[in-house]
Amino acid sequence: MTSPVISVQNVTKNYGNFRAVDDLSFEVHPGEIFAMLGPNGAGKSTTMRMILDIIKPDTGKIAVLGGQMTDAIKDKIGYLPEERGLYRGVKLMEMMTYLGRLKGMSRTDANARAAELLKYLELEAHAKKKVSELSKGMQQKIQFAVTVMHRPQLIIVDEPFSGLDPLNTRILMDLLMSLRKDGTTIVMSTHQMFQVEELCERLLMMNKGKVALYGTVDEVRSRYATHAVEVEGTGNWAGVAGVAQADVSENGRTAVLQLKEGVTSKDLLSSLSQTPGIEVQKFALAVPRLNDIFIRVVEGGATA
Amino acid sequence: MNLTKIWLIAQQEFWSNLKRPSFLFAVFGTPILVALSIGLGVLTGSSEDDLGAYSPVGVLDRTEQQIFAQHVSPESFPDLFVWVTDEASAQQAVMDGELAGYIDFSPEYIESGKATLYGLRGAPEDMFDAADALVLANLSASVDSTLPAERIEKSADLTVTVLDGNRTFDSDSVFFMTILPLLFGFFLVLASTTTSSFLMNTLSEEKANRIMEILITSVRPMELLTGKVLGMGLLGLLQVVVFLVAGLVGLSLAQQQNFLTGLSIPPDMIVLALVYYVLSYFLLAAGLAGIGAVSSSEQESRQLSIIIVLPVMLPYMAIVTFLLDPNGTIPTIFSLIPFTSPMAVMMRVGLTTVPAWQIAVSIIGLIITDLLVLWASARLFRWGILSYGKTPGLRGLWQVIRGRGDTIGQAPAPTVKEVA
């Protein structure tokens, strides 16, 4: 097995009396999109900063791209912090070139890459504008472009899509997917669970500085799977044989049917077809959404 | 330390700030404003200096005709002049502070009309009228008809020479004689405060808009600080050079118009100005960079910057003391204290001869203070650039400087909440 891109082992970080990260361990594998989830204050940003060597852990070990952080390794990482910031009074090309060169690029390479990204993000017409002259959405895209300017091997992005409209979200998601296709490893923190379900292979859910959930997205969802079926259609679901409880959605079009013990989904499908007044348009095993799992974990205060 | 990245940061700071309108105004606008105010000063003929403090003045009569043999004091300046017999004792009396200066009427005086006033500092403007009155009073008492009529018409073309031999002033230049050292001190501190304030503002801005987080994943905090201090220092040096060149060109133009012909800016003053600029810049830049790094906003950093800038500007507030007695206790003390010394010494070297030991002590003191402030600032900088929320008080800052503040986020400053 190839060595992990990031290895965090038993890391703890305190701010005064507040323990921001508590005995945290996980790994990120090469070429995957890895999600870091958790409520505000769970310790995600602190963990990211420790990975980036911006702050030091009190105890534990962190290895990135095969070892402890060096200047050469720093140049192979792209970071998009949660709180965005750009030089507002500087022209786009100038700023992108400068930040690219700080990552070790030559002036020529940085200029060419900045032009390429501006074209990809449909911002080439604004190359000579100052950041302050751009809309918020455009600034977000530029921030993202700065993160991937130097073709990093590892990208760490904190809430990359926050504040973006669906169209721009799609553009940046496509960019992330294409980077992963090229072998880039991506660590992403987000509150948008559907994005995790769509983009990520594995996830780490943190709560109160500790690991709450860790594994592949499918594993986590199946771990929280209930004995239920999700249906779409019309009828009196509660009256169907084998149904213990029917949770009908607000609009009445879908329902989650909890099955009685010993009843299989196949038995239920058979019952539904035999029950008069029932019309089924969609029938699927109920797999919990990450969103529901997130709420259950946070409300239950669960940690692994 | 990655020198390539440091140089890249220095270049970026230099060029991006060079284009700022506020910097262009500081470089070009301020000298124009000062030149205008001086022009206004010349036109109104104002002089803040007082002849009363410039007394007594010796008269050394080396003319063949001994035109001052009657020892007549002019009516308008009855107690100003005393008579001295030889150059050596006159010089000694000046050095001992018994005389404010002495006027040397050389054997060539009768022909040329040129006399020289020697002193430890420049003379007030009234001195030129007093010299005329002295000559007239003594010529009137003389019965020698062989004296040329021009000596009555134009009695004394007085040149003032400071006894270290570097500075000379004629009657046109006397206003500038008093204003020049003040300008030197003013522009010196203006250059270092302008650039170091810019440095502080860019740091506050980068911290406030969070681009700092991106920067420090590309470079180390000390590389960032070094690059910024270097870039802004070069920008300030450019500002000093512009001031000096503008001053020298302006003087040369004035002299082509036969104005300020007796005024010269000695090379030692220029060298000292550059030395004090560099030392005061590092003091201010390091101090203000530390403040910029720990402040939560530009406004707050500007308020805190007074802690550093005020002591540096303090000698300017004691300007009258410097003019009246440049070698007095207060100017001497200010010259020895590291924060006040750049401006104090530069003001004094234009007015008087500053003892070499005082210059040496002030420079050594400044170098030591620069190193201490750089060290403390580096600790604050490393700790502060990612600390948001309430700025710690002086006690908190002291804890950071003393404590384990060499790693971001690790310093014990209980009043600061770091973003988790």
Side-chain angles (χ1 to χ4, degrees), chain B residues 358-384:
Chain B
Q358 290 185 13
I359 292 179
V361 167
S362 81
I363 288 176
I364 292 167
L366 264 176
I367 291 171
I368 293 169
T369 312
D370 278 8
L371 292 173
L372 283 173
V373 174
L374 268 172
W375 170 80
S377 181
R379 292 198 146 209
L380 288 177
F381 187 83
R382 291 175 68 90
W383 173 83

PDB file of all heavy atoms in Angstrom, chain B residues 358-384:
ATOM      1  N   GLN B 358      29.215  61.974  21.844  1.00  0.00           N
ATOM      2  CA  GLN B 358      27.740  61.928  21.918  1.00  0.00           C
ATOM      3  C   GLN B 358      27.169  61.228  20.678  1.00  0.00           C
ATOM      4  O   GLN B 358      26.220  60.448  20.775  1.00  0.00           O
ATOM      5  CB  GLN B 358      27.174  63.339  22.036  1.00  0.00           C
ATOM      6  CG  GLN B 358      27.472  63.964  23.389  1.00  0.00           C
ATOM      7  CD  GLN B 358      26.818  65.315  23.553  1.00  0.00           C
ATOM      8  OE1 GLN B 358      25.956  65.719  22.777  1.00  0.00           O
ATOM      9  NE2 GLN B 358      27.239  66.044  24.571  1.00  0.00           N
ATOM     10  N   ILE B 359      27.762  61.527  19.516  1.00  0.00           N
ATOM     11  CA  ILE B 359      27.302  60.863  18.288  1.00  0.00           C
ATOM     12  C   ILE B 359      27.571  59.357  18.393  1.00  0.00           C
ATOM     13  O   ILE B 359      26.711  58.532  18.061  1.00  0.00           O
ATOM     14  CB  ILE B 359      28.001  61.468  17.059  1.00  0.00           C
ATOM     15  CG1 ILE B 359      27.521  62.909  16.873  1.00  0.00           C
ATOM     16  CG2 ILE B 359      27.715  60.640  15.803  1.00  0.00           C
ATOM     17  CD1 ILE B 359      28.141  63.643  15.718  1.00  0.00           C
ATOM     18  N   ALA B 360      28.776  59.014  18.894  1.00  0.00           N
ATOM     19  CA  ALA B 360      29.134  57.590  19.020  1.00  0.00           C
ATOM     20  C   ALA B 360      28.175  56.877  19.974  1.00  0.00           C
ATOM     21  O   ALA B 360      27.647  55.800  19.660  1.00  0.00           O
ATOM     22  CB  ALA B 360      30.570  57.464  19.513  1.00  0.00           C
ATOM     23  N   VAL B 361      27.920  57.499  21.139  1.00  0.00           N
ATOM     24  CA  VAL B 361      27.019  56.875  22.123  1.00  0.00           C
ATOM     25  C   VAL B 361      25.627  56.705  21.521  1.00  0.00           C
ATOM     26  O   VAL B 361      24.980  55.660  21.668  1.00  0.00           O
ATOM     27  CB  VAL B 361      26.959  57.723  23.420  1.00  0.00           C
ATOM     28  CG1 VAL B 361      25.803  57.269  24.312  1.00  0.00           C
ATOM     29  CG2 VAL B 361      28.269  57.626  24.182  1.00  0.00           C
ATOM     30  N   SER B 362      25.155  57.740  20.823  1.00  0.00           N
ATOM     31  CA  SER B 362      23.796  57.656  20.271  1.00  0.00           C
ATOM     32  C   SER B 362      23.711  56.559  19.214  1.00  0.00           C
ATOM     33  O   SER B 362      22.726  55.818  19.162  1.00  0.00           O
ATOM     34  CB  SER B 362      23.363  59.004  19.698  1.00  0.00           C
ATOM     35  OG  SER B 362      23.891  59.199  18.420  1.00  0.00           O
ATOM     36  N   ILE B 363      24.752  56.425  18.382  1.00  0.00           N
ATOM     37  CA  ILE B 363      24.711  55.395  17.331  1.00  0.00           C
ATOM     38  C   ILE B 363      24.790  53.990  17.943  1.00  0.00           C
ATOM     39  O   ILE B 363      24.004  53.110  17.573  1.00  0.00           O
ATOM     40  CB  ILE B 363      25.848  55.625  16.302  1.00  0.00           C
ATOM     41  CG1 ILE B 363      25.507  56.851  15.452  1.00  0.00           C
ATOM     42  CG2 ILE B 363      26.034  54.401  15.406  1.00  0.00           C
ATOM     43  CD1 ILE B 363      26.562  57.251  14.459  1.00  0.00           C
ATOM     44  N   ILE B 364      25.684  53.817  18.914  1.00  0.00           N
ATOM     45  CA  ILE B 364      25.794  52.491  19.560  1.00  0.00           C
ATOM     46  C   ILE B 364      24.480  52.154  20.285  1.00  0.00           C
ATOM     47  O   ILE B 364      23.946  51.056  20.177  1.00  0.00           O
ATOM     48  CB  ILE B 364      26.995  52.455  20.546  1.00  0.00           C
ATOM     49  CG1 ILE B 364      28.299  52.540  19.748  1.00  0.00           C
ATOM     50  CG2 ILE B 364      26.984  51.185  21.395  1.00  0.00           C
ATOM     51  CD1 ILE B 364      29.533  52.826  20.572  1.00  0.00           C
ATOM     52  N   GLY B 365      23.942  53.153  20.983  1.00  0.00           N
ATOM     53  CA  GLY B 365      22.669  52.957  21.689  1.00  0.00           C
ATOM     54  C   GLY B 365      21.554  52.577  20.725  1.00  0.00           C
ATOM     55  O   GLY B 365      20.734  51.696  21.010  1.00  0.00           O
ATOM     56  N   LEU B 366      21.551  53.237  19.585  1.00  0.00           N
ATOM     57  CA  LEU B 366      20.513  52.942  18.592  1.00  0.00           C
ATOM     58  C   LEU B 366      20.657  51.536  18.032  1.00  0.00           C
ATOM     59  O   LEU B 366      19.657  50.827  17.844  1.00  0.00           O
ATOM     60  CB  LEU B 366      20.612  53.937  17.430  1.00  0.00           C
ATOM     61  CG  LEU B 366      19.689  55.152  17.477  1.00  0.00           C
ATOM     62  CD1 LEU B 366      19.988  56.084  16.323  1.00  0.00           C
ATOM     63  CD2 LEU B 366      18.224  54.743  17.439  1.00  0.00           C
ATOM     64  N   ILE B 367      21.893  51.138  17.763  1.00  0.00           N
ATOM     65  CA  ILE B 367      22.111  49.788  17.214  1.00  0.00           C
ATOM     66  C   ILE B 367      21.624  48.736  18.214  1.00  0.00           C
ATOM     67  O   ILE B 367      20.892  47.810  17.846  1.00  0.00           O
ATOM     68  CB  ILE B 367      23.608  49.564  16.878  1.00  0.00           C
ATOM     69  CG1 ILE B 367      23.994  50.446  15.673  1.00  0.00           C
ATOM     70  CG2 ILE B 367      23.893  48.099  16.559  1.00  0.00           C
ATOM     71  CD1 ILE B 367      25.475  50.481  15.364  1.00  0.00           C
ATOM     72  N   ILE B 368      21.977  48.907  19.491  1.00  0.00           N
ATOM     73  CA  ILE B 368      21.557  47.936  20.520  1.00  0.00           C
ATOM     74  C   ILE B 368      20.024  47.926  20.628  1.00  0.00           C
ATOM     75  O   ILE B 368      19.387  46.877  20.655  1.00  0.00           O
ATOM     76  CB  ILE B 368      22.209  48.266  21.885  1.00  0.00           C
ATOM     77  CG1 ILE B 368      23.723  48.048  21.790  1.00  0.00           C
ATOM     78  CG2 ILE B 368      21.612  47.423  22.999  1.00  0.00           C
ATOM     79  CD1 ILE B 368      24.512  48.577  22.964  1.00  0.00           C
ATOM     80  N   THR B 369      19.441  49.133  20.652  1.00  0.00           N
ATOM     81  CA  THR B 369      17.977  49.217  20.761  1.00  0.00           C
ATOM     82  C   THR B 369      17.300  48.598  19.540  1.00  0.00           C
ATOM     83  O   THR B 369      16.294  47.898  19.656  1.00  0.00           O
ATOM     84  CB  THR B 369      17.536  50.678  20.912  1.00  0.00           C
ATOM     85  OG1 THR B 369      18.330  51.279  21.920  1.00  0.00           O
ATOM     86  CG2 THR B 369      16.073  50.784  21.289  1.00  0.00           C
ATOM     87  N   ASP B 370      17.858  48.862  18.364  1.00  0.00           N
ATOM     88  CA  ASP B 370      17.301  48.266  17.133  1.00  0.00           C
ATOM     89  C   ASP B 370      17.253  46.744  17.256  1.00  0.00           C
ATOM     90  O   ASP B 370      16.235  46.120  16.931  1.00  0.00           O
ATOM     91  CB  ASP B 370      18.176  48.624  15.929  1.00  0.00           C
ATOM     92  CG  ASP B 370      17.860  50.008  15.387  1.00  0.00           C
ATOM     93  OD1 ASP B 370      17.071  50.716  16.044  1.00  0.00           O
ATOM     94  OD2 ASP B 370      18.395  50.384  14.336  1.00  0.00           O
ATOM     95  N   LEU B 371      18.358  46.172  17.725  1.00  0.00           N
ATOM     96  CA  LEU B 371      18.424  44.708  17.833  1.00  0.00           C
ATOM     97  C   LEU B 371      17.401  44.187  18.844  1.00  0.00           C
ATOM     98  O   LEU B 371      16.715  43.197  18.593  1.00  0.00           O
ATOM     99  CB  LEU B 371      19.839  44.270  18.236  1.00  0.00           C
ATOM    100  CG  LEU B 371      20.911  44.510  17.161  1.00  0.00           C
ATOM    101  CD1 LEU B 371      22.295  44.213  17.703  1.00  0.00           C
ATOM    102  CD2 LEU B 371      20.635  43.661  15.931  1.00  0.00           C
ATOM    103  N   LEU B 372      17.289  44.897  19.979  1.00  0.00           N
ATOM    104  CA  LEU B 372      16.318  44.475  21.003  1.00  0.00           C
ATOM    105  C   LEU B 372      14.890  44.569  20.477  1.00  0.00           C
ATOM    106  O   LEU B 372      14.085  43.655  20.666  1.00  0.00           O
ATOM    107  CB  LEU B 372      16.467  45.351  22.260  1.00  0.00           C
ATOM    108  CG  LEU B 372      17.649  45.030  23.169  1.00  0.00           C
ATOM    109  CD1 LEU B 372      17.761  46.074  24.280  1.00  0.00           C
ATOM    110  CD2 LEU B 372      17.473  43.639  23.781  1.00  0.00           C
ATOM    111  N   VAL B 373      14.584  45.679  19.812  1.00  0.00           N
ATOM    112  CA  VAL B 373      13.216  45.862  19.300  1.00  0.00           C
ATOM    113  C   VAL B 373      12.929  44.845  18.198  1.00  0.00           C
ATOM    114  O   VAL B 373      11.830  44.286  18.125  1.00  0.00           O
ATOM    115  CB  VAL B 373      13.000  47.312  18.802  1.00  0.00           C
ATOM    116  CG1 VAL B 373      11.652  47.472  18.132  1.00  0.00           C
ATOM    117  CG2 VAL B 373      13.109  48.286  19.960  1.00  0.00           C
ATOM    118  N   LEU B 374      13.924  44.574  17.343  1.00  0.00           N
ATOM    119  CA  LEU B 374      13.740  43.568  16.285  1.00  0.00           C
ATOM    120  C   LEU B 374      13.441  42.199  16.891  1.00  0.00           C
ATOM    121  O   LEU B 374      12.550  41.483  16.427  1.00  0.00           O
ATOM    122  CB  LEU B 374      15.009  43.463  15.432  1.00  0.00           C
ATOM    123  CG  LEU B 374      15.076  44.354  14.198  1.00  0.00           C
ATOM    124  CD1 LEU B 374      16.465  44.292  13.576  1.00  0.00           C
ATOM    125  CD2 LEU B 374      14.045  43.946  13.165  1.00  0.00           C
ATOM    126  N   TRP B 375      14.168  41.874  17.947  1.00  0.00           N
ATOM    127  CA  TRP B 375      13.985  40.576  18.605  1.00  0.00           C
ATOM    128  C   TRP B 375      12.575  40.476  19.203  1.00  0.00           C
ATOM    129  O   TRP B 375      11.864  39.491  19.004  1.00  0.00           O
ATOM    130  CB  TRP B 375      15.059  40.410  19.689  1.00  0.00           C
ATOM    131  CG  TRP B 375      14.851  39.239  20.585  1.00  0.00           C
ATOM    132  CD1 TRP B 375      15.149  37.933  20.321  1.00  0.00           C
ATOM    133  CD2 TRP B 375      14.286  39.260  21.903  1.00  0.00           C
ATOM    134  NE1 TRP B 375      14.811  37.150  21.384  1.00  0.00           N
ATOM    135  CE2 TRP B 375      14.278  37.927  22.372  1.00  0.00           C
ATOM    136  CE3 TRP B 375      13.795  40.265  22.725  1.00  0.00           C
ATOM    137  CZ2 TRP B 375      13.787  37.588  23.622  1.00  0.00           C
ATOM    138  CZ3 TRP B 375      13.305  39.918  23.972  1.00  0.00           C
ATOM    139  CH2 TRP B 375      13.308  38.591  24.402  1.00  0.00           C
ATOM    140  N   ALA B 376      12.195  41.531  19.936  1.00  0.00           N
ATOM    141  CA  ALA B 376      10.864  41.526  20.568  1.00  0.00           C
ATOM    142  C   ALA B 376       9.776  41.511  19.503  1.00  0.00           C
ATOM    143  O   ALA B 376       8.784  40.788  19.610  1.00  0.00           O
ATOM    144  CB  ALA B 376      10.716  42.753  21.461  1.00  0.00           C
ATOM    145  N   SER B 377      10.007  42.287  18.459  1.00  0.00           N
ATOM    146  CA  SER B 377       9.005  42.394  17.411  1.00  0.00           C
ATOM    147  C   SER B 377       8.838  41.071  16.668  1.00  0.00           C
ATOM    148  O   SER B 377       7.728  40.695  16.294  1.00  0.00           O
ATOM    149  CB  SER B 377       9.429  43.493  16.441  1.00  0.00           C
ATOM    150  OG  SER B 377       8.469  43.625  15.458  1.00  0.00           O
ATOM    151  N   ALA B 378       9.961  40.377  16.458  1.00  0.00           N
ATOM    152  CA  ALA B 378       9.887  39.092  15.768  1.00  0.00           C
ATOM    153  C   ALA B 378       9.011  38.118  16.557  1.00  0.00           C
ATOM    154  O   ALA B 378       8.215  37.373  15.992  1.00  0.00           O
ATOM    155  CB  ALA B 378      11.284  38.516  15.594  1.00  0.00           C
ATOM    156  N   ARG B 379       9.127  38.169  17.884  1.00  0.00           N
ATOM    157  CA  ARG B 379       8.298  37.298  18.732  1.00  0.00           C
ATOM    158  C   ARG B 379       6.828  37.689  18.616  1.00  0.00           C
ATOM    159  O   ARG B 379       5.962  36.837  18.479  1.00  0.00           O
ATOM    160  CB  ARG B 379       8.747  37.389  20.189  1.00  0.00           C
ATOM    161  CG  ARG B 379      10.109  36.795  20.380  1.00  0.00           C
ATOM    162  CD  ARG B 379      10.384  36.481  21.821  1.00  0.00           C
ATOM    163  NE  ARG B 379      11.209  35.277  21.864  1.00  0.00           N
ATOM    164  CZ  ARG B 379      11.196  34.416  22.852  1.00  0.00           C
ATOM    165  NH1 ARG B 379      10.425  34.595  23.871  1.00  0.00           N
ATOM    166  NH2 ARG B 379      11.968  33.359  22.820  1.00  0.00           N
ATOM    167  N   LEU B 380       6.567  38.988  18.696  1.00  0.00           N
ATOM    168  CA  LEU B 380       5.189  39.449  18.576  1.00  0.00           C
ATOM    169  C   LEU B 380       4.640  39.089  17.203  1.00  0.00           C
ATOM    170  O   LEU B 380       3.503  38.662  17.058  1.00  0.00           O
ATOM    171  CB  LEU B 380       5.124  40.974  18.751  1.00  0.00           C
ATOM    172  CG  LEU B 380       5.341  41.520  20.158  1.00  0.00           C
ATOM    173  CD1 LEU B 380       5.325  43.035  20.140  1.00  0.00           C
ATOM    174  CD2 LEU B 380       4.258  41.015  21.097  1.00  0.00           C
ATOM    175  N   PHE B 381       5.485  39.271  16.200  1.00  0.00           N
ATOM    176  CA  PHE B 381       5.068  39.035  14.821  1.00  0.00           C
ATOM    177  C   PHE B 381       4.677  37.582  14.618  1.00  0.00           C
ATOM    178  O   PHE B 381       3.607  37.271  14.112  1.00  0.00           O
ATOM    179  CB  PHE B 381       6.223  39.410  13.885  1.00  0.00           C
ATOM    180  CG  PHE B 381       5.860  39.366  12.433  1.00  0.00           C
ATOM    181  CD1 PHE B 381       5.232  40.438  11.827  1.00  0.00           C
ATOM    182  CD2 PHE B 381       6.160  38.254  11.661  1.00  0.00           C
ATOM    183  CE1 PHE B 381       4.901  40.392  10.497  1.00  0.00           C
ATOM    184  CE2 PHE B 381       5.835  38.208  10.327  1.00  0.00           C
ATOM    185  CZ  PHE B 381       5.198  39.286   9.734  1.00  0.00           C
ATOM    186  N   ARG B 382       5.549  36.681  15.040  1.00  0.00           N
ATOM    187  CA  ARG B 382       5.282  35.252  14.846  1.00  0.00           C
ATOM    188  C   ARG B 382       4.009  34.821  15.568  1.00  0.00           C
ATOM    189  O   ARG B 382       3.252  33.997  15.088  1.00  0.00           O
ATOM    190  CB  ARG B 382       6.448  34.414  15.369  1.00  0.00           C
ATOM    191  CG  ARG B 382       7.692  34.559  14.548  1.00  0.00           C
ATOM    192  CD  ARG B 382       8.821  33.810  15.202  1.00  0.00           C
ATOM    193  NE  ARG B 382       8.600  32.379  15.146  1.00  0.00           N
ATOM    194  CZ  ARG B 382       9.028  31.612  14.153  1.00  0.00           C
ATOM    195  NH1 ARG B 382       9.695  32.135  13.178  1.00  0.00           N
ATOM    196  NH2 ARG B 382       8.792  30.334  14.154  1.00  0.00           N
ATOM    197  N   TRP B 383       3.824  35.411  16.730  1.00  0.00           N
ATOM    198  CA  TRP B 383       2.653  35.026  17.507  1.00  0.00           C
ATOM    199  C   TRP B 383       1.388  35.716  16.987  1.00  0.00           C
ATOM    200  O   TRP B 383       0.315  35.122  16.919  1.00  0.00           O
ATOM    201  CB  TRP B 383       2.861  35.393  18.974  1.00  0.00           C
ATOM    202  CG  TRP B 383       1.639  35.173  19.793  1.00  0.00           C
ATOM    203  CD1 TRP B 383       1.234  34.007  20.343  1.00  0.00           C
ATOM    204  CD2 TRP B 383       0.659  36.144  20.111  1.00  0.00           C
ATOM    205  NE1 TRP B 383       0.055  34.188  20.990  1.00  0.00           N
ATOM    206  CE2 TRP B 383      -0.326  35.490  20.859  1.00  0.00           C
ATOM    207  CE3 TRP B 383       0.521  37.494  19.825  1.00  0.00           C
ATOM    208  CZ2 TRP B 383      -1.443  36.157  21.329  1.00  0.00           C
ATOM    209  CZ3 TRP B 383      -0.587  38.153  20.286  1.00  0.00           C
ATOM    210  CH2 TRP B 383      -1.556  37.484  21.042  1.00  0.00           C
ATOM    211  N   GLY B 384       1.547  36.985  16.611  1.00  0.00           N
ATOM    212  CA  GLY B 384       0.370  37.821  16.397  1.00  0.00           C
ATOM    213  C   GLY B 384      -0.296  37.721  15.055  1.00  0.00           C
ATOM    214  O   GLY B 384      -1.469  38.040  14.919  1.00  0.00           O
TER     215      GLY B 384
END
